[in-house]
């Protein structure tokens, strides 16, 4: 159960169609900095402070109750009495739902990625037919869309050809079924607890972008099933790697997002969600413009990287130790992440004598980053992917937390600067 609230701090609630931003916190110590950033940036973006996936909790030895209690305690300490949500992220099982609902989470992100056929886009016609013959009997909805077309509010036309529908069925058919089943379990679980809920669907963790036809079918099926879909995260064009800015043509990204937003306007409305949203400053204003302010941005690992910045500035020896440890873990830990950095992308710490230079290589420094852009240093990905190994290491975890609890003002300040830049860039597009 969650901790008893003060008379003024609100429980997590629904955010609905308001523009929203998720501040992931893997240490349980970042919320004061997140609050400071929100106040510093101003604007109308609504916050989610308690946000954690079950996978992240497992890697950091945290629990849903612990994540919620850490966030609420920090809100009381910082006298934040405004509305806020709580995101139970990347849910894959009914048990995940029950644990997070019991802790008071209100925003439930369904992740059916295990049921997505990631190779579907590359299947030759004969292979596609063969694959469809296997899944087709489980896909009762295909005849609702096949050989039809849809004109979106912005004039873009979606052709739901036979091939497009069959490919969507092969790629997402089983995932749609799982998402609907999990969505219904969310509704039943929260109803028993007398709690509100809203649902986000994540289909972004695929190698290829989500087509307009796929987006239309997925969202239409979710809504026809009666689910409270408030947000959908497609796989956008370009590369949205962990810990670094967007890789791709920003103008093409904005045009593509406008088409996806037109589907959300036609079917919903619901928001579009940008996952792996940390540090993507170059596309924040385009995202806000293209969605007309109907967006959710999700961040996670960047607050951990800012924690390491505190370490770099107050305990150089420990920062160097973490770099060595992370380089030793990187090739193993990066397996579940979309990153391109290699160990050759950044030098060993022993090759860099200057502490400020080492911070720049492995974390980036705002004063050395062009205006309007996010960090691009590949060293960030080496540190990003290895957070779980560091935060569960019996020695390193204690040392890191010792620095953070010993220098809370530094952690709050670097987070305030970091996330104010994120929020201000989003505000610029609204």
């Amino acid at each position: 159960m969650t901790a008893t609230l003060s008379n003024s701090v609100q429980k997590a609630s629904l955010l609905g169609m308001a523009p929203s931003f998720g501040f992931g916190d893997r240490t349980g110590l970042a919320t004061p900095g997140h609050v400071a950033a929100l106040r510093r940036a101003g604007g109308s973006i609504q916050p989610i402070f308690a946000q954690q996936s079950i996978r992240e909790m497992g890697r950091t030895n945290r629990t849903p109750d612990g994540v919620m209690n850490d966030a609420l305690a920090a809100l009381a300490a910082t006298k934040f009495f405004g509305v806020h949500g709580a995101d139970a992220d990347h849910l894959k099982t009914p048990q995940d739902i029950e644990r997070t609902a019991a802790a008071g989470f209100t925003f439930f992100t369904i992740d059916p990625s295990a049921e997505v056929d990631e190779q579907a886009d590359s299947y030759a016609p004969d292979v596609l037919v063969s694959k469809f013959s296997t899944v087709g009997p489980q896909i009762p909805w295909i005849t609702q869309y096949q050989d039809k077309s849809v004109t979106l509010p912005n004039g873009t036309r979606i052709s739901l050809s036979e091939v497009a529908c069959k490919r969507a069925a092969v790629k997402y058919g089983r995932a749609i079924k799982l998402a609907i089943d999990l969505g219904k379990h969310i509704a039943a679980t929260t109803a028993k607890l007398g709690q509100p809920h809203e649902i986000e669907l994540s289909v972004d963790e695929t190698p290829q972008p989500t087509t307009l036809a796929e987006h239309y079918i997925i969202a239409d099926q979710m809504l026809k099933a009666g689910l409270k879909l408030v947000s959908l995260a497609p796989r956008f064009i370009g590369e949205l790697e962990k810990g670094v800015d967007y890789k791709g043509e920003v103008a093409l990204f904005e045009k593509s997002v406008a088409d996806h937003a037109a589907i959300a306007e036609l079917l919903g409305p619901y928001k579009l969600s940008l996952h792996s949203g940390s540090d993507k400053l170059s596309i924040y204003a385009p995202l806000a413009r293209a969605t007309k302010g109907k967006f959710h941005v999700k961040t996670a690992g960047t607050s951990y990287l800012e924690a390491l910045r505190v370490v770099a500035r107050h305990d150089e020896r420990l920062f160097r130790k973490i770099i060595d440890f992370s380089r030793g873990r990187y090739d193993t830990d990066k397996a579940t992440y979309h990153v391109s950095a290699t160990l050759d992308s950044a030098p060993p710490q022993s090759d860099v004598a200057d502490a400020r230079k080492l911070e720049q290589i492995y974390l980036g420094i705002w004063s050395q980053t062009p205006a309007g852009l996010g960090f691009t240093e590949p060293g960030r990905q080496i540190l990003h992917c290895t957070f779980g190994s560091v935060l569960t290491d019996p020695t390193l975890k204690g040392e890191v937390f010792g620095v953070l609890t010993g220098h809370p003002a530094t952690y709050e300040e670097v987070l305030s600067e970091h996330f104010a830049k994120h929020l201000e860039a989003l505000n610029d597009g609204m």
Side-chain angles (χ1 to χ4, degrees):
M1 297 294 291
T2 58
T4 301
L5 300 180
S6 74
N7 291 332
S8 300
V9 174
Q10 298 187 36
K11 293 190 299 184
S13 61
L14 306 185
L15 301 182
M17 291 301 296
S20 50
F21 191 94
F23 297 91
D25 179 6
R26 291 172 175 171
T27 64
L29 300 173
T31 299
H34 297 159
V35 171
L38 192 72
R39 289 168 169 163
R40 183 171 177 171
S44 60
I45 297 173
Q46 296 297 309
I48 289 179
F49 296 117
Q51 173 199 292
Q52 199 106 77
S53 70
I54 296 295
R55 180 177 70 180
E56 290 170 342
M57 292 182 205
R59 290 183 175 180
T60 56
N61 290 332
R62 300 183 79 197
T63 65
D65 283 334
V67 171
M68 182 65 73
N69 291 341
D70 286 341
L72 294 177
L75 296 185
T78 57
K79 295 181 170 56
F80 182 91
F81 306 132
V83 171
H84 62 98
D87 182 3
D89 193 19
H90 286 290
L91 300 169
K92 296 176 181 289
T93 70
Q95 293 73 29
D96 296 344
I97 292 165
E98 291 157 13
R99 291 175 62 201
T100 51
F105 285 79
T106 54
F107 184 100
F108 295 84
T109 301
I110 297 172
D111 176 12
S113 58
E115 297 298 326
V116 175
D117 186 337
E118 296 185 349
Q119 307 305 315
D121 291 327
S122 62
Y123 290 147
D126 59 327
V127 177
L128 182 65
V129 170
S130 175
K131 293 285 184 180
F132 180 74
S133 67
T134 301
V135 301
Q138 307 170 48
I139 312 297
W141 47 256
I142 190 166
T143 56
Q144 300 174 30
Y145 307 104
Q146 193 166 300
D147 296 324
K148 297 179 181 179
S149 65
V150 176
T151 301
L152 300 177
N154 66 348
T156 295
R157 183 172 174 272
I158 303 175
S159 176
L160 299 170
S161 66
E162 179 182 356
V163 171
C165 289
K166 285 184 175 178
R167 203 173 295 279
V170 170
K171 185 176 182 180
Y172 290 115
R174 293 189 179 96
I176 290 172
K177 182 180 184 306
L178 175 60
I180 291 173
D181 289 345
L182 291 175
K184 290 180 178 179
H185 193 71
I186 290 168
T189 301
T190 55
K192 288 180 181 178
L193 294 170
Q195 297 173 184
H197 77 275
E198 52 194 359
I199 290 174
E200 173 171 280
L201 177 62
S202 167
V203 293
D204 67 303
E205 295 195 357
T206 59
Q208 299 297 325
T210 306
T211 68
L212 298 182
E214 291 165 350
H215 177 170
Y216 183 89
I217 291 171
I218 291 167
D220 194 48
Q221 283 297 298
M222 293 286 288
L223 292 166
K224 283 180 175 175
L227 303 187
K228 293 182 179 180
L229 185 67
V230 74
S231 179
L232 187 142
R235 165 60 161 92
F236 291 114
I237 63 171
E239 298 298 326
L240 290 108
E241 297 186 9
K242 301 292 185 181
V244 296
D245 204 347
Y246 179 74
K247 296 181 179 181
E249 294 292 331
V250 174
L252 293 179
F253 171 84
E254 184 169 0
K255 181 179 183 302
S256 176
V257 172
D259 285 337
H260 283 287
I263 297 175
E265 179 184 351
L266 177 68
L267 294 179
Y270 51 86
K271 296 183 284 193
L272 290 187
S273 186
L274 179 68
H275 287 197
S276 299
S278 306
D279 311 297
K280 307 295 185 295
L281 268 70
S282 66
I283 58 171
Y284 287 157
L287 173 74
R289 279 195 303 268
T291 61
K292 301 176 184 176
K294 297 181 178 68
F295 64 80
H296 178 63
V297 173
K298 187 169 301 196
T299 70
T302 199
S303 291
Y304 167 72
L305 294 178
E306 291 306 300
L308 296 188
R309 191 182 305 280
V310 180
V311 173
R313 294 182 180 180
H314 289 286
D315 191 336
E316 180 185 342
R317 176 204 62 81
L318 177 57
F319 186 53
R320 290 179 179 275
K321 184 178 177 181
I322 290 171
I323 291 172
D324 286 342
F325 179 84
S326 296
R327 289 177 65 88
R329 291 290 314 172
Y330 179 62
D331 284 337
T332 298
D333 291 355
K334 72 177 183 179
T336 55
Y337 290 100
H338 181 47
V339 291
S340 61
T342 65
L343 291 177
D344 291 336
S345 300
Q349 60 82 16
S350 56
D351 291 351
V352 184
D354 182 73
R356 187 69 167 169
K357 180 63 176 178
L358 193 64
E359 178 184 342
Q360 193 277 325
I361 290 171
Y362 276 91
L363 295 172
I365 294 175
W366 282 118
S367 63
Q368 299 177 25
T369 302
L373 299 181
F375 294 132
T376 58
E377 288 78 8
R380 288 174 59 81
Q381 296 188 332
I382 295 173
L383 298 182
H384 180 287
C385 294
T386 52
F387 77 93
S389 294
V390 172
L391 294 181
T392 54
D393 182 84
T395 300
L396 290 177
K397 178 181 179 179
E399 291 186 282
V400 169
F401 274 73
V403 174
L404 295 178
T405 55
H407 302 278
T410 304
Y411 195 25
E412 180 174 330
E413 174 55 31
V414 297
L415 286 169
S416 176
E417 178 185 24
H418 190 70
F419 281 109
K421 289 182 180 294
H422 286 58
L423 296 166
E424 288 162 358
L426 289 164
N427 287 336
D428 285 344
M430 295 171 64

